[in-house]
Amino acid sequence: MSRTRWRYGIAATAFLVAAGLIPAPAHAEDVADYAITVAPAAKGAKIDDTMYGVFFEDINRAADGGLYAELVQNRSFEYSTDDNRSYTPLTSWTVDGTGQVVNDAGRLGERNRNYLSLGAGSAVTNAGYNTGIHVEAGKKYDFSVWARAEGGTALTVTLQDADGTLATAREVAVKKSGWAKYRATFTATRTSSDGRLTVASAAAAALDMVSLFPRDTYKHQANGLRKDLAEKVAALHPGFLRFPGGCLVNTGSMEDYSEASNWQRKRSYQWKDTIGPVEERATNSNFWGYNQSYGLGYYEYFRFAEDIGAMPLPVVPALVTGCGQNKATDDDALLKRHIQDALDLIEFAGGPVTSTWGKKRAQMGHPKPFHLTHIGVGNEENLPVEFMARFKQFRAAIEAKYPDITVVSNSGPDDAGQTFDTAWQLNRQEKVAMVDEHYYNSPQWFLQNNDRYDSYDRGGPKVFLGEYASQGNAFKNGLAEAAFMTGLERNADVVKLASYAPLFANEDYVQWRPDLVWFNNHASWNSANYEVQKLFMTNVGDRVVPSTATGTPSLQGPITGAVGLSTWATTAAYDDVSVTDADGKTLLNDDFSGDAAQWKHTGAGSWSIQDGQYVQSDVAAENTLVSAGDPTWHDYDLKVKATKKSGKEGFLVAFGVKDTGNYYWWNLGGWNNTQSAVEQAVDGGKGTLISKAGSIETGRTYDIQVKVRGRQVTLYLDGQEWGSFKDDKPAEPFRQVVTKDKKTGDLIVKVVNAQSTAARTAIDLGGAKVASKARVTTLTADPNAVNSETATPVAPVTSTFSGVDDSFSYTFPANSITFLRIKQR
């Protein structure tokens, strides 16, 4: 079937007009016509049951204070300045009377270094997370503490908030002079999110591992998972669970936690630290600026994966750091130890109870093996050659002993660029089975790159898209991600696994945005992106049914905009800015011999004229953008001299500047001065167009030139061409894919209409015999809608459509994601 006419209105172009990709037509109506043609007899790619999963990393307090249900913060008094400069061993605690944290031979255990020495008649109170400890009326809460007291003592344990008692106080008799564990149970008499737990002692006592757990946790009380958060993950029906990171895996020291390493706190996440009795587990500094108790460890991850029916996918260190650290560890003995740790992990997961680590698993309560089929080595390494040298040793050792395990490599932290290209070249050369790709880009990038995997080598490594998200939690972000996901499914023969990231964010402890599920100490809520993921994850299908769709006309004009200067955690000086048009006519010329009246300061930082240069002098400020010129400028040459004075990075030169959220900039010496790239910002979200490794020298003046012609941009550094790109890829707002559910026989027509115009669509099912009714699930909302604790404007609506035939019409609402489940007869 072919479409007979177009009716494409002003509203329909709004998204692309905002992105600067097409001009608004002068006269048009408000409905766009499309056609989808399905070939039900053709055989498309098989979709694995594990296609979509979740990635858990302890970021944004996702574990302690989050999924791990412990209500006491800093329960073992192990907080340290290694974790956060503001921390002390008594962070989140207050002492009434006398008490101090001690690290001596009287400790509970070698790997639990600190304990509290509490004076007679003194008390200590814990503030919990967020506003305090949350309890619900009628629910039970289990208290425990490790304690010792010469001659014994009585502990009085209370739960209260500013309004009074939350549960009847409990008396705990400490009878031993040596360490022992003591327990009590509370039943909350009121609901409160501002509770405080107090432990008072009649005589001098030593306390450690002060704990309060809700009795009502997810499935297994021993797992200790917060029920509402775990249930949100379970509701996605994920095919896999990737853990524990992320930057936790490949940052810090690779040493262990022992006397030999001087009890190294800033180290990579190592699985053996996280199993066994919780009081014997090591503590660690979290890369994201807080402490990890490891109460949620590898055993609990495996149990959680089993409980939600997901394939576990652990990731181990490759001994090459990333996330801005970029160091390869050259210690053969240490490398061999980590390789053995990986082999031991596989045995812990699946070995018989007669094996060393299988026995350990059984002792923890799970004699039955966990079903481990994949293991990742490394995460986002920026040194691909050094990484591959170590990866090959891991893979060789694992495949020699466990040939059925898929060993997953990665391609660095970006979707393109020198590191990405080198990593992929090495992965192909080494015939790696699967490569983990990561990228966080603007909604426009996701609309532009639906076809990303169409050209990937079908005979090469498979893709695990382990981390991705557009830059925001508004519905427009979910729309863009949904459009991209139709391309993931269409390429299910290449893309075997995919997971949005990060998974969780505690609203009071945020290091990264956006996130899939938000929460505080008493509530949790689904982001718009979560609703998109859930819709896809619960309607995957078993096989792609080939289909085609007409597209949206792309009427692109030239790149237009003013010019700008900026810095990021760096001080820099700029001079001799000139802009000339294609005919050589001067549009802007500023040598800063006078004032800076031509420049508009819209970012952070502190700008001033100093010695005939324009200087940004705040070394901590990020995105200090100043701009000059006319937003309608096009086809011009920008020249500027730039000098880094101090700080972490280099400098930024902007062009095509429309406003504070829409521009291009050449980021020289970004990412902790490790690479340079051109980034495009659209509505505040940035995507990378071209990147190369490299750094900027402090004190050296660089000559920078940006040549803009139409949508072609060429960049020169010190007179030499650095790179070029053509930004002419349309951000197609209408995307679709069709899959088949083998169990039900349903055809699942999935359509994303990411524009402010309804899409009237002729759907040709290629002669398929189908029922006349379809079950419809629709997500639609204002593009800027954001779900919160108190409002959920983005939520699925189900309905029935009765006009289905082998050829029928359906109008997909503006700004919508629609799944039609059509039964075949």
Side-chain angles (χ1 to χ4, degrees):
M1 174 183 288
S2 62
R3 186 179 45 179
T4 57
R5 61 187 179 129
W6 276 99
R7 293 199 299 178
Y8 190 82
I10 293 174
T13 66
F15 191 97
L16 301 185
V17 170
L21 292 179
I22 62 173
H27 302 287
E29 298 172 52
D30 61 355
V31 177
D33 283 355
Y34 294 89
I36 296 173
T37 304
V38 184
K43 194 172 184 179
K46 180 181 181 297
I47 306 174
D48 294 342
D49 292 340
T50 52
M51 173 75 182
Y52 295 122
V54 292
F55 165 47
F56 182 94
E57 179 177 4
D58 189 357
I59 184 173
N60 310 313
R61 287 266 184 210
D64 296 334
L67 183 62
Y68 186 52
E70 173 66 75
L71 298 173
V72 174
Q73 185 176 176
N74 189 17
R75 67 183 177 189
S76 59
F77 308 101
E78 294 289 341
Y79 276 25
S80 161
T81 52
D82 283 338
D83 309 321
N84 189 295
R85 283 181 296 177
S86 67
Y87 281 3
T88 75
L90 282 172
T91 293
S92 82
W93 294 96
T94 55
V95 175
D96 182 11
T98 60
Q100 62 178 339
V101 175
V102 180
N103 179 351
D104 64 16
R107 64 178 67 89
L108 177 59
E110 283 296 290
R111 292 161 69 82
N112 193 333
R113 308 289 292 168
N114 292 347
Y115 65 94
L116 178 68
S117 176
L118 194 63
S122 299
V124 63
T125 298
N126 191 266
Y129 297 93
N130 300 96
T131 56
I133 291 172
H134 175 71
V135 296
E136 295 181 34
K139 294 286 184 72
K140 292 185 181 298
Y141 297 86
D142 292 321
F143 167 82
S144 65
V145 62
W146 282 81
R148 60 176 171 80
E150 297 297 331
T153 188
L155 300 180
T156 302
V157 189
T158 57
L159 266 173
Q160 68 284 321
D161 63 11
D163 295 327
T165 300
L166 293 172
T168 303
R170 291 288 182 259
E171 296 291 330
V172 175
V174 177
K175 299 177 181 179
K176 295 183 179 181
S177 58
W179 288 104
K181 188 175 184 178
Y182 300 91
R183 296 178 175 84
T185 299
F186 292 95
T187 301
T189 55
R190 287 191 295 116
T191 295
S192 174
S193 297
D194 308 313
R196 300 290 186 269
L197 176 75
T198 298
V199 181
S201 181
L207 307 179
D208 205 348
M209 297 296 293
V210 182
S211 173
L212 187 70
F213 259 90
R215 178 77 58 86
D216 188 18
T217 55
Y218 181 71
K219 287 204 172 182
H220 304 285
Q221 190 181 0
N223 249 25
L225 301 186
R226 179 169 150 176
K227 193 173 184 179
D228 62 325
L229 297 183
E231 286 177 343
K232 286 188 181 302
V233 179
L236 295 170
H237 298 288
F240 65 87
L241 170 64
R242 175 179 174 240
F243 60 90
C247 287
L248 309 185
V249 167
N250 68 334
T251 53
S253 167
M254 299 295 162
E255 300 288 345
D256 62 2
Y257 190 60
S258 67
E259 186 175 6
S261 71
N262 196 28
W263 307 106
Q264 177 61 249
R265 285 287 290 266
K266 293 186 174 182
R267 63 190 192 283
S268 64
Y269 195 112
Q270 299 172 46
W271 77 272
K272 289 179 180 177
D273 288 341
T274 76
I275 64 168
V278 290
E279 67 274 9
E280 296 176 8
R281 298 184 187 184
T283 190
N284 202 3
S285 171
N286 182 293
F287 174 81
W288 299 108
Y290 52 91
N291 176 271
Q292 295 170 276
S293 74
Y294 286 147
L296 178 58
Y298 257 74
Y299 176 77
E300 290 77 20
Y301 286 129
F302 279 125
R303 287 292 293 263
F304 185 42
E306 183 179 68
D307 287 342
I308 61 178
M311 174 186 81
L313 206 167
V315 182
V316 299
L319 273 72
V320 180
T321 58
C323 301
Q325 296 183 0
N326 302 336
K327 177 185 176 183
T329 300
D330 291 317
D331 183 331
D332 192 56
L334 190 59
L335 175 62
K336 285 181 168 58
R337 193 267 286 175
H338 276 268
I339 291 172
Q340 186 59 50
D341 281 355
L343 295 172
D344 292 344
L345 171 60
I346 297 170
E347 183 176 284
F348 177 76
V353 296
T354 53
S355 66
T356 300
W357 293 99
K359 181 179 180 181
K360 188 73 171 177
R361 180 193 69 242
Q363 289 170 341
M364 292 186 71
H366 201 281
K368 179 183 174 184
F370 296 111
H371 185 55
L372 180 65
T373 58
H374 292 64
I375 186 169
V377 176
N379 171 77
E380 293 188 9
E381 282 73 23
N382 263 322
L383 303 173
V385 174
E386 293 85 345
F387 164 75
M388 185 54 68
R390 290 152 182 78
F391 173 85
K392 288 193 297 182
Q393 294 185 60
F394 275 90
R395 183 179 64 170
I398 292 169
E399 290 184 346
K401 190 169 184 180
Y402 301 103
D404 294 334
I405 296 287
T406 298
V407 187
V408 182
S409 177
N410 74 82
S411 59
D414 300 304
D415 62 273
Q418 192 172 49
T419 297
F420 178 88
D421 291 341
T422 302
W424 259 104
Q425 180 184 8
L426 293 170
N427 282 311
R428 285 190 291 267
Q429 286 176 358
E430 297 301 331
K431 295 181 169 48
V432 168
M434 183 173 285
V435 177
D436 187 2
E437 291 191 354
H438 295 177
Y439 38 81
Y440 298 89
N441 288 318
S442 67
Q444 175 173 296
W445 186 93
F446 283 95
L447 291 176
Q448 289 175 316
N449 285 278
N450 173 277
D451 64 348
R452 175 179 176 87
Y453 297 106
D454 289 3
S455 59
Y456 272 49
D457 180 5
R458 267 46 202 169
K462 302 305 181 185
V463 172
F464 170 22
L465 180 48
E467 297 183 34
Y468 74 98
S470 73
Q471 293 155 339
N473 275 142
F475 186 51
K476 64 185 176 185
N477 301 97
L479 283 167
E481 289 155 5
F484 187 72
M485 291 171 79
T486 65
L488 298 183
E489 292 193 4
R490 187 176 65 252
N491 289 284
D493 56 329
V494 169
V495 183
K496 307 305 288 184
L497 308 168
S499 52
Y500 180 102
L503 178 59
F504 286 126
N506 185 318
E507 65 174 351
D508 291 336
Y509 308 92
V510 181
Q511 292 87 40
W512 187 279
R513 298 172 188 268
D515 303 285
L516 204 63
V517 175
W518 289 80
F519 65 92
N520 51 37
N521 65 350
H522 62 273
S524 57
W525 54 98
N526 304 333
S527 67
N529 318 66
Y530 175 97
E531 296 298 349
V532 170
Q533 292 291 320
K534 185 178 180 182
L535 186 57
F536 275 83
M537 292 168 79
T538 56
N539 293 278
V540 182
D542 302 285
R543 188 172 290 281
V544 175
V545 179
S547 61
T548 57
T550 49
T552 307
S554 177
L555 308 173
Q556 295 180 332
I559 292 174
T560 61
V563 298
L565 311 169
S566 189
T567 59
W568 199 284
T570 304
T571 66
Y574 294 92
D575 203 356
D576 297 335
V577 179
S578 72
V579 182
T580 55
D581 69 13
D583 297 324
K585 177 184 175 183
T586 298
L587 302 175
L588 173 70
N589 189 34
D590 200 337
D591 63 3
F592 302 108
S593 58
D595 58 27
Q598 298 185 82
W599 297 86
K600 180 181 179 182
H601 184 191
T602 54
S606 178
W607 289 88
S608 62
I609 302 290
Q610 298 179 21
D611 300 322
Q613 296 180 310
Y614 201 19
V615 177
Q616 196 295 111
S617 55
D618 185 345
V619 74
E622 298 179 345
N623 194 1
T624 64
L625 185 66
V626 292
S627 60
D630 191 326
T632 65
W633 282 352
H634 60 88
D635 298 295
Y636 56 76
D637 289 270
L638 164 64
K639 295 181 180 179
V640 59
K641 295 181 185 297
T643 308
K644 173 183 175 178
K645 296 171 74 70
S646 66
K648 295 180 180 178
E649 305 209 340
F651 31 76
L652 301 120
V653 176
F655 55 97
V657 180
K658 290 183 171 60
D659 52 47
T660 56
N662 296 276
Y663 55 84
Y664 301 80
W665 68 19
W666 188 3
N667 185 349
L668 290 130
W671 296 269
N672 285 324
N673 206 14
T674 61
Q675 62 178 308
S676 298
V678 176
E679 299 176 281
Q680 181 185 16
V682 178
D683 292 336
K686 289 198 292 289
T688 300
L689 302 179
I690 180 175
S691 69
K692 292 183 180 180
S695 60
I696 294 297
E697 297 174 26
T698 301
R700 174 183 165 188
T701 298
Y702 292 83
D703 287 312
I704 296 165
Q705 180 181 358
V706 180
K707 181 178 181 179
V708 182
R709 295 293 185 272
R711 301 200 70 82
Q712 178 75 41
V713 177
T714 309
L715 306 117
Y716 301 87
L717 187 63
D718 290 334
Q720 300 296 314
E721 183 174 328
W722 177 87
S724 65
F725 66 92
K726 192 171 187 179
D727 182 26
D728 61 351
K729 203 168 188 180
E732 172 59 60
F734 185 83
R735 295 291 189 184
Q736 59 81 37
V737 70
V738 180
T739 64
K740 182 178 179 179
D741 186 326
K742 183 171 63 176
K743 184 177 180 180
T744 64
D746 291 353
L747 289 175
I748 312 172
V749 180
K750 311 173 187 185
V751 177
V752 180
N753 183 26
Q755 59 187 332
S756 55
T757 295
R760 183 170 48 210
T761 307
I763 301 175
D764 183 351
L765 297 180
K769 297 186 183 303
V770 293
S772 61
K773 292 183 179 181
R775 182 156 55 91
V776 184
T777 306
T778 306
L779 282 172
T780 185
D782 183 279
N784 294 310
V786 176
N787 287 350
S788 67
E789 180 182 353
T790 56
T792 54
V794 183
V797 174
T798 58
S799 61
T800 301
F801 175 68
S802 300
V804 178
D805 204 340
D806 67 338
S807 182
F808 67 100
S809 290
Y810 191 93
T811 299
F812 296 96
N815 301 308
S816 69
I817 305 163
T818 306
F819 280 26
L820 302 170
R821 291 194 71 115
I822 302 169
K823 288 200 173 296
Q824 294 189 89
R825 292 188 298 202

